[in-house]
Amino acid sequence: MIPDSDLRLDPCADLVRLPSNVSDREDAIDKPEEACGVFGIYAPGQEVAKLTYFGLYALQHRGQESAGIATFDGRQLHEHRDMGLVSHVFSPEILQKLPGQLAIGHTRYSTTGSSRRCNAQPVIVETRLGKLALAHNGNLVNTTQLREYLIGMGVEPTTTIDSEMIALIIAAEVNAGKGWVDATIAACKQCVGAFSLTIATPDGIMAIRDTYGIRPLVLGVMPDHIGHYVVASETCALDIIGADYDRDVKPGELLWIDENGVEEINWAPAPEPKLCIFEMIYFARPDSWVNDESLYSYRMRLGKQLAKESFHAADIVIGVPDSGIPAAIGFSEASGIPYAEGLIKNRYVGRTFIQPTQEMRESGIRMKLNPLRDVLKGKRVIVIDDSIVRGTTSRKLVKALRDAGATEIHMRISSPPVTHPCFYGIDTDTQDQLIAATKSVAEIAEQIGVDTLSYLSWDGMLTATNRDPNSFCSACFTGDYPVEIPDGVKKSKLMLEMGARG
């Protein structure tokens, strides 16, 4: 039995995870994992559940563990949540049982450890004004204090998850006499950390971002339906249902959407934008728009900057599918070295409970990525990837490329070394598991087996945004956390710093 002190809360905050020593670290995904995607729509007369389904389908890359939709048909709430991919959780028959004029949805990422249907979102709570449904992307760092606050008010949480805490505090404020908007603002002012929320009520929907806007949230309009609005984690979820992007929900802003349109409320007195830079580098889809351009364009600029900083003579440039490809194309354009497809991705590999044989494990990563031997044989290869977290996948990848005949392998990473864990909604290892926190670049190169290794500079990464560099959170590269982390939470991940202090 695992001691309580060893349990870790999932960044999406509705799942208790097994500690790192329980999972198979060699076979775990060697990438940071996004917490979840959220969606909301106000569209009387339209099939809001079906539109939400497709919105979540577009956000599937942000989460593959569970999915849920809640709709309101007048005062009546309808909801369905379950474990699995969006296409597995919902069927035409289920969607027909979710009528209404408004809806919110949620999808979350696949993780190691126990997971239960009851922890799937949206979170549903009762209030004096009717039921409330809440979908959350992000992570609070004061969950323990919120729980104690609720218990002191006589409200007994059923879990230790932060998403439930937010919903329960809103409900408590409503029950104390406030309306939906005032109650939500009061609750948000008590929350410390990252949160982008979509909230459904019988009277309308809300979209809220924390003071720093760490996790993304956008507003869209249905061009053929006046007064119909959509909110989502990314613009790709607007595109799929034919909605037009209007603008980002601002940091510290709450949007109330009902039959009267959109009411804009700045609930935080001094918002300070700090969008997670990893959304730009890796998490969000390349066809999603941030700062008036697609992320594909930004990632190409990262590759061009990388070529300027760390050119090396080679025969071809290849990208690690899919996230490394735009940067690889940019590197190729800036360096003049031809771009080629050297790795083919099996796009149908998902969770499986059938473990590969030991021989398959030792063969590397070919279940997901297979090298093209005739492209690689006899070539000096520059390999572009977006990040290295633990190094296990990189080592297997390099071995597979050498087995395919590559004579030299020069790895280039389109972000700086990841040296610190995230506390704001990204699942990263404890600091002692991050390879760049314990090893030099030369030592990492030796461990993963490349001829040379270079990372993009921190300045280069931020300069390529063409925006104020202070408007991004890059704590995973610097340890400079915009939201203060309580000591108890720090100890769970900042193993090296806490050890040094001790």
Side-chain angles (χ1 to χ4, degrees):
M1 184 168 180
I2 302 167
D4 290 342
S5 60
D6 287 340
L7 290 175
R8 298 167 55 200
L9 289 180
D10 175 87
C12 197
D14 60 355
L15 171 68
V16 174
R17 301 187 57 227
L18 295 177
S20 58
N21 61 349
V22 175
S23 64
D24 186 340
R25 305 308 298 174
E26 278 294 303
D27 293 329
I29 296 174
D30 190 15
K31 290 286 182 184
E33 289 297 310
E34 176 58 86
C36 36
V38 299
F39 186 89
I41 183 168
Y42 181 88
Q46 295 199 61
E47 297 179 275
V48 292
K50 184 178 289 186
L51 293 171
T52 301
Y53 167 86
F54 284 109
L56 294 179
Y57 190 85
L59 297 172
Q60 186 73 88
H61 61 287
R62 298 182 75 90
Q64 296 117 46
E65 180 69 26
S66 66
I69 294 174
T71 68
F72 271 100
D73 182 19
R75 311 302 296 179
Q76 182 68 38
L77 177 129
H78 308 271
E79 59 94 9
H80 181 79
R81 299 169 286 162
D82 213 338
M83 309 306 296
L85 300 175
V86 174
S87 59
H88 297 163
V89 170
F90 296 100
S91 65
E93 293 74 22
I94 290 173
L95 292 173
Q96 286 178 0
K97 296 178 182 178
L98 300 173
Q101 71 276 9
L102 59 89
I104 64 166
H106 186 274
T107 185
R108 61 175 304 165
Y109 82 103
S110 178
T111 187
T112 305
S114 63
S115 60
R116 298 171 296 168
R117 179 190 176 280
C118 64
N119 288 325
Q121 292 190 37
V123 175
I124 311 295
V125 295
E126 296 271 3
T127 81
R128 68 176 179 87
L129 297 178
K131 291 184 178 179
L132 173 145
L134 178 146
H136 174 206
N137 177 205
N139 189 52
L140 303 185
V141 298
N142 68 330
T143 305
T144 300
Q145 291 83 355
L146 294 179
R147 180 180 175 83
E148 292 171 353
Y149 170 76
L150 285 166
I151 292 174
M153 294 175 61
V155 178
E156 189 66 40
T158 59
T159 72
T160 57
I161 63 174
D162 59 354
S163 303
E164 186 199 24
M165 304 301 160
I166 301 171
L168 287 175
I169 293 176
I170 295 173
E173 297 289 344
V174 169
N175 293 339
K178 292 186 175 70
W180 293 120
V181 171
D182 289 340
T184 301
I185 291 173
C188 288
K189 288 181 176 180
Q190 298 179 59
C191 296
V192 180
F195 53 91
S196 284
L197 309 172
T198 55
I199 299 175
T201 75
D203 303 308
I205 64 173
M206 287 179 277
I208 312 101
R209 287 179 84 188
D210 63 75
T211 304
Y212 295 93
I214 295 173
R215 305 260 70 85
L217 197 61
V218 299
L219 172 69
V221 297
M222 303 292 283
D224 298 326
H225 300 273
I226 297 174
H228 291 190
Y229 298 92
V230 184
V231 289
S233 292
E234 297 180 36
T235 62
C236 63
L238 308 180
D239 298 336
I240 197 172
I241 63 169
D244 292 336
Y245 168 74
D246 183 68
R247 65 176 180 85
D248 285 8
V249 180
K250 299 173 186 175
E253 184 178 42
L254 181 152
L255 302 182
W256 170 254
I257 304 171
D258 64 7
E259 59 186 4
N260 298 313
V262 179
E263 182 181 0
E264 304 171 351
I265 302 163
N266 296 315
W267 66 268
E272 184 180 351
K274 291 288 184 181
L275 176 67
C276 170
I277 194 68
F278 241 118
E279 292 279 358
M280 306 272 291
I281 295 168
Y282 171 68
F283 289 125
R285 268 177 38 170
D287 55 331
S288 286
W289 278 57
V290 176
N291 296 331
D292 301 322
E293 67 173 356
S294 72
L295 289 178
Y296 183 90
S297 298
Y298 170 65
R299 291 168 188 173
M300 278 191 64
R301 285 202 300 277
L302 291 178
K304 292 178 180 180
Q305 181 65 28
L306 192 57
K308 293 177 183 178
E309 294 182 5
S310 57
F311 174 84
H312 196 286
D315 299 308
I316 58 173
V317 177
I318 68 172
V320 178
D322 286 314
S323 54
I325 290 176
I329 294 172
F331 191 103
S332 172
E333 288 186 2
S335 66
I337 301 171
Y339 170 79
E341 282 197 55
L343 294 163
I344 299 301
K345 183 177 181 179
N346 180 358
R347 304 183 188 283
Y348 301 96
V349 174
R351 289 193 69 191
T352 176
F353 296 101
I354 301 174
Q355 295 299 314
T357 64
Q358 184 59 32
E359 289 78 12
M360 289 174 67
R361 288 175 186 251
E362 292 175 356
S363 71
I365 59 172
R366 292 186 179 89
M367 283 183 67
K368 293 186 177 181
L369 294 173
N370 200 33
L372 285 168
R373 292 179 179 274
D374 55 342
V375 173
L376 297 164
K377 187 175 181 180
K379 298 292 197 305
R380 300 170 298 167
V381 181
I382 291 179
V383 183
I384 309 295
D385 204 354
D386 58 83
S387 61
I388 299 176
V389 178
R390 290 183 296 112
T392 52
T393 298
S394 298
R395 185 173 67 249
K396 292 178 180 180
L397 173 63
V398 170
K399 182 180 185 303
L401 294 174
R402 291 203 187 278
D403 290 344
T407 58
E408 294 179 15
I409 299 175
H410 306 279
M411 185 164 279
R412 298 294 182 265
I413 306 300
S414 60
S415 66
V418 177
T419 56
H420 288 74
C422 178
F423 296 93
Y424 308 135
I426 297 173
D427 181 26
T428 51
D429 285 302
T430 54
Q431 194 176 25
D432 59 335
Q433 293 291 329
L434 302 174
I435 191 171
T438 59
K439 289 179 168 54
S440 68
V441 173
E443 290 170 333
I444 297 171
E446 181 179 3
Q447 180 162 321
I448 66 177
V450 293
D451 294 282
T452 66
L453 169 67
S454 292
Y455 290 84
L456 183 65
S457 68
W458 181 74
D459 285 337
M461 172 189 69
L462 292 174
T463 299
T465 66
N466 292 333
R467 297 281 169 159
D468 179 0
N470 294 316
S471 64
F472 297 95
C473 174
S474 57
C476 51
F477 306 119
T478 65
D480 183 13
Y481 295 100
V483 181
E484 185 177 354
I485 312 299
D487 284 341
V489 178
K490 283 183 181 179
K491 290 178 182 177
S492 68
K493 284 189 174 182
L494 283 173
M495 310 294 287
L496 303 181
E497 270 86 347
M498 302 311 291
R501 292 175 191 173

